[in-house]
């Protein structure tokens, strides 16, 4: 192990999606394996890394502001940028921020330690970016803070090219990870006491299609993971509706550890907008799959992503999105106002929906989401649900956990319950949190 000269501590700031969080865990593990200590105080770190996101303008502006601020003070640390913004902006980041030491793309996080050596010994800025992802990450080095749930990458990149999205450009095409490597990691996690894994990918439903010789599509993988008896819950995100198959629905039904929450992002309820987004399904095709999901998976809950205010979206088209939300009654929703992203086809179109109209549509949909959430929570009061206990709630007196369909529950209990499944009878709710008491201690 090489201990780097004058470099003892590091600070990591992660923006964006769960894939970025997982990449951070892998990079943190790689830095710790060479003797560096992670600290939470940015001002005293010898190395500062921003793992960035390009999905929203706001996420980018935050990082740019932070980098600018670091350049105005006396430079005390090595500073690096990784993630999607690195892929999108490449060497232009060095021109804008001369105090930046390295930029590493999403496909090169495994090169972090080599890049650091080059920075320290070569004394110059280092850019490491490859457009194509090679499946060569050592996932086992990931340093996880959570001891109950873990994220596991199964496929990286995306081939769908939705017109508003930078992911196919920043993360490249779909590359699946071998089933053997995924199973090995999940078995290891289960042996270490993890009870839940979330399988990650920009489109998990495409898993294995790039390697037909493996004979392992996404539903096959779910069955294989279902055989790990110590693993109590399997989740996954994100899905593209076009790729969700009947076989996958059956696997979710048949594998007891597969959670019955399916993230099934519609994005818009208008066929014209869906076409403009290049989502490659119609509202009717989507609703047909919702019907199948409801028929095949008992008590299925659905989650979605929605963009309001996409270029040219009319009030009537927004209303279609609103109506479909009301019809499906999603239990989880990530709702955003559209913001154009550089490098995407939609960038060429005029962002013609005024900000106040976008905001009005956003608030209208958020209010509906909140109302449906309250109704769903009220409807299950008095019932008993199975909760995977994750940790103490903020006050250290109550425990916090989630149901299989991701509802947050808090209840009185002690530390020994963390990491166990408990049957909790629900008596009330407060905002988005259900409150209850353990019925029989599991
Ligand atoms: S499916 Fe569409 S929105 Fe999702 S990552 Fe791929 S291009 Fe982006």
């Amino acid at each position: 192990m090489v201990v780097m000269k004058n470099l003892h501590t590091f600070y990591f700031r992660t923006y964006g999606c769960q894939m970025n969080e997982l990449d951070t865990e892998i990079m943190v593990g790689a830095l710790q394996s060479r003797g560096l200590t992670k600290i939470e105080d940015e001002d005293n770190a010898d190395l500062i890394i921003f793992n960035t996101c390009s999905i929203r303008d706001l996420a980018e502006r935050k990082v740019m502001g932070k980098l600018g601020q670091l350049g105005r003070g006396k430079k005390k640390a090595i500073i690096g940028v990784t993630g999607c913004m690195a892929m999108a902006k490449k060497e232009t980041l060095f021109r804008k921020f001369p105090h930046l030491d390295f930029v590493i793309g999403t496909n090169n996080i495994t090169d972090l330690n080599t890049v650091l050596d080059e920075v320290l010994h070569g004394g110059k800025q280092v850019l490491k970016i490859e457009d194509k992802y090679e499946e060569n990450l050592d996932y086992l080095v990931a340093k996880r803070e959570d001891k109950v749930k873990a994220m596991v990458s199964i496929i990286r990149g995306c081939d769908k090219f939705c017109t508003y999205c930078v992911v196919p450009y920043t993360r490249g095409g779909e590359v699946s990870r071998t089933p053997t490597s995924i199973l090995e990691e999940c078995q290891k996690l289960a042996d270490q006491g993890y009870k839940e894994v979330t399988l990650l990918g920009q489109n998990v439903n495409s898993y294995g299609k790039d390697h037909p010789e493996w004979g392992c599509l996404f539903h096959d993988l779910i069955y294989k993971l279902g055989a790990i008896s110590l693993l109590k819950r399997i989740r996954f995100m994100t899905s593209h509706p076009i790729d969700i198959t009947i076989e996958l629905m059956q696997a979710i039904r048949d594998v007891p550890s597969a959670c019955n929450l399916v993230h099934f992002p519609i994005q818009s309820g208008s066929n014209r907008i869906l076409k403009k987004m290049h989502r490659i399904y119609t509202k009717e095709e989507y609703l047909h799959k919702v019907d199948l999901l409801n028929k095949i998976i008992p008590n299925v809950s659905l989650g979605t992503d929605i963009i309001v205010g996409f270029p040219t979206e009319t009030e009537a088209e927004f209303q279609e999105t609103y109506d479909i939300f009301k019809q499906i009654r999603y239990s989880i929703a990530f709702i955003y106002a559209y913001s154009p992203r550089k490098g995407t086809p939609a960038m060429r179109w005029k962002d013609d929906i005024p900000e106040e109209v976008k905001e009005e549509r956003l608030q209208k949909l958020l209010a509906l989401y909140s109302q449906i959430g309250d109704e769903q929570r009220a409807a299950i009061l008095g019932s008993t649900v199975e909760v995977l206990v994750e940790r103490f709630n903020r006050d250290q007196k109550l425990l916090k956990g989630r149901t299989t369909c991701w509802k947050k529950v808090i209840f009185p209990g002690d530390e020994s319950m963390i990491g166990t499944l408990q049957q909790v009878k629900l008596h009330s709710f407060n905002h988005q949190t259900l409150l209850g008491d353990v019925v029989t201690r599991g």
Side-chain angles (χ1 to χ4, degrees), residues 168-191:
Y169 311 99
T170 57
R171 288 199 171 257
E174 289 165 358
V175 180
S176 301
R177 181 179 169 197
T178 65
T180 318
S181 156
I182 297 168
L183 286 164
E184 185 195 357
E185 186 183 8
C186 289
Q187 183 64 60
K188 195 168 173 211
L189 288 166
D191 293 342

Side-chain angles (χ1 to χ4, degrees), residues 261-270 274 283 286-287 290 294 301-308 313 316-336 361-377 407 432:
L261 170 68
V262 179
H263 190 240
F264 196 57
I266 189 168
Q267 302 295 3
S268 167
S270 147
L274 285 173
K283 172 167 80 173
Y286 180 91
L287 288 173
V290 169
N294 280 316
S301 285
L302 297 180
T304 192
D305 298 341
I306 287 179
I307 298 172
V308 297
E313 182 190 64
E317 285 164 341
F318 165 70
Q319 189 61 40
E320 287 187 78
T321 305
Y322 186 89
D323 291 344
I324 233 170
F325 198 111
K326 207 167 170 182
Q327 177 185 342
I328 294 176
R329 297 177 65 80
Y330 293 106
S331 36
I332 304 273
F334 300 94
I335 309 169
Y336 302 100
R361 291 178 188 173
L362 181 68
Q363 292 308 328
K364 205 172 158 190
L365 215 43
L366 286 172
L368 176 64
Y369 176 36
S370 166
Q371 181 202 320
I372 290 172
D374 283 352
E375 288 167 6
Q376 288 173 339
R377 283 181 278 276
K407 298 233 178 303
Q432 295 186 355

Side-chain angles (χ1 to χ4, degrees), residues 158 160-162 164-165 167-168 202 240 267 279:
C158 182
K160 290 289 184 289
F161 291 93
C162 301
Y164 53 84
C165 182
V167 167
Q202 269 75 36
H240 191 293
Q267 302 295 3
R279 287 295 287 176

Side-chain angles (χ1 to χ4, degrees), residues 1-219:
M1 184 192 300
V2 182
V3 178
M4 292 155 75
K5 214 169 43 177
N6 300 327
L7 209 53
H8 305 289
T9 55
F10 66 96
Y11 168 87
F12 237 107
R13 180 78 191 264
T14 310
Y15 299 83
C17 66
Q18 288 171 311
M19 190 64 94
N20 261 14
E21 284 173 30
L22 175 62
D23 285 351
T24 294
E25 289 177 347
I26 293 168
M27 289 189 276
V28 166
L31 291 173
Q32 288 181 337
S33 74
R34 59 184 292 168
L36 273 74
T37 306
K38 181 169 179 273
I39 60 169
E40 299 307 322
D41 176 11
E42 173 192 324
D43 293 337
N44 286 316
D46 300 326
L47 166 67
I48 299 174
I49 301 180
F50 298 105
N51 192 12
T52 60
C53 169
S54 279
I55 291 273
R56 318 243 150 250
D57 189 40
L58 183 66
E60 268 197 15
R61 275 191 278 128
K62 276 187 191 164
V63 179
M64 298 297 245
K66 198 75 214 157
L67 285 170
Q69 197 187 330
L70 285 172
R72 286 192 285 279
K74 190 162 171 283
K75 184 170 155 68
K76 289 184 284 192
I78 300 284
I79 303 168
V81 169
T82 61
C84 290
M85 218 175 104
M87 292 301 274
K89 300 200 181 295
K90 299 188 171 82
E91 61 277 355
T92 62
L93 283 170
F94 290 137
R95 288 203 285 279
K96 196 161 171 61
F97 304 107
H99 53 286
L100 191 58
D101 295 287
F102 63 88
V103 173
I104 299 180
T106 51
N107 298 333
N108 290 87
I109 60 169
T110 194
D111 298 317
L112 173 60
N113 278 328
T114 321
V115 167
L116 267 178
D117 283 341
E118 281 181 51
V119 169
L120 287 170
H121 302 128
K124 56 179 175 19
Q125 292 172 314
V126 178
L127 175 76
K128 191 84 185 172
I129 288 182
E130 275 156 39
D131 288 334
K132 179 140 176 48
Y133 173 67
E134 301 279 346
E135 180 51 68
N136 62 356
L137 272 178
D138 180 5
Y139 290 95
L140 300 183
V141 304
K143 188 73 190 170
R144 296 179 160 95
E145 309 250 321
D146 196 317
K147 298 286 172 240
V148 179
K149 306 179 281 91
M151 295 176 286
V152 173
S153 165
I154 64 163
I155 179 169
R156 286 175 178 256
C158 182
D159 292 344
K160 290 289 184 289
F161 291 93
C162 301
T163 53
Y164 53 84
C165 182
V166 289
V167 167
Y169 311 99
T170 57
R171 288 199 171 257
E174 289 165 358
V175 180
S176 301
R177 181 179 169 197
T178 65
T180 318
S181 156
I182 297 168
L183 286 164
E184 185 195 357
E185 186 183 8
C186 289
Q187 183 64 60
K188 195 168 173 211
L189 288 166
D191 293 342
Q192 288 169 349
Y194 285 89
K195 296 293 188 306
E196 177 179 308
V197 292
T198 299
L199 308 175
L200 291 185
Q202 269 75 36
N203 180 17
V204 286
N205 298 334
S206 280
Y207 177 78
K209 286 184 182 172
D210 53 334
H211 282 283
E213 74 281 8
W214 293 347
C216 184
L217 295 175
F218 188 45
H219 62 272

Side-chain angles (χ1 to χ4, degrees), residues 308-309 313-315 318 337 352-364:
V308 297
E313 182 190 64
T314 64
E315 200 55 42
F318 165 70
D352 60 346
I353 309 299
E355 290 308 312
E356 59 275 18
V357 175
K358 286 183 192 170
E359 185 59 25
E360 194 185 302
R361 291 178 188 173
L362 181 68
Q363 292 308 328
K364 205 172 158 190

